[in-house]
């Protein structure tokens, strides 16, 4: 397995964890970067999920580039 896949997979997992963090409502606390306390922030969650997918695609292209 190429290092680009491993690094991309780890960043993808971090992005998914961040997206799940934004989807869980925490009463009395404000999510990082969110404006409404105690509510879930769907827009930030979607942004984290999309960023994770972009990282996976980038890892695929980086791993398949032929630098001989």
């Amino acid at each position: 397995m190429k290092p680009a896949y491993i690094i991309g997979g780890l960043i993808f997992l971090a992005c998914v964890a961040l997206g799940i963090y934004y989807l869980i409502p925490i009463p009395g606390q404000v999510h990082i970067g969110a404006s409404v306390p105690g509510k879930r922030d769907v827009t930030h969650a979607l942004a984290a999920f999309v960023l994770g997918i972009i990282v996976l695609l980038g890892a695929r292209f980086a791993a398949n580039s032929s630098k001989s």
Side-chain angles (χ1 to χ4, degrees):
M1 182 169 269
K2 297 185 178 182
Y5 283 133
I6 295 171
I7 294 170
L10 290 175
I11 296 173
F12 172 76
L13 289 177
C15 289
V16 168
L18 185 65
I20 291 171
Y21 166 74
Y22 279 120
L23 287 178
I24 298 172
I26 302 172
Q29 292 185 3
V30 179
H31 287 107
I32 301 168
S35 59
V36 181
K39 295 196 177 185
R40 61 185 179 159
D41 195 359
V42 178
T43 55
H44 281 88
L46 287 175
F49 293 141
V50 168
L51 181 64
I53 291 171
I54 290 171
V55 166
L56 274 183
L57 289 173
R60 179 201 176 271
F61 286 117
N64 289 336
S65 66
S66 59
K67 281 190 166 183
S68 303

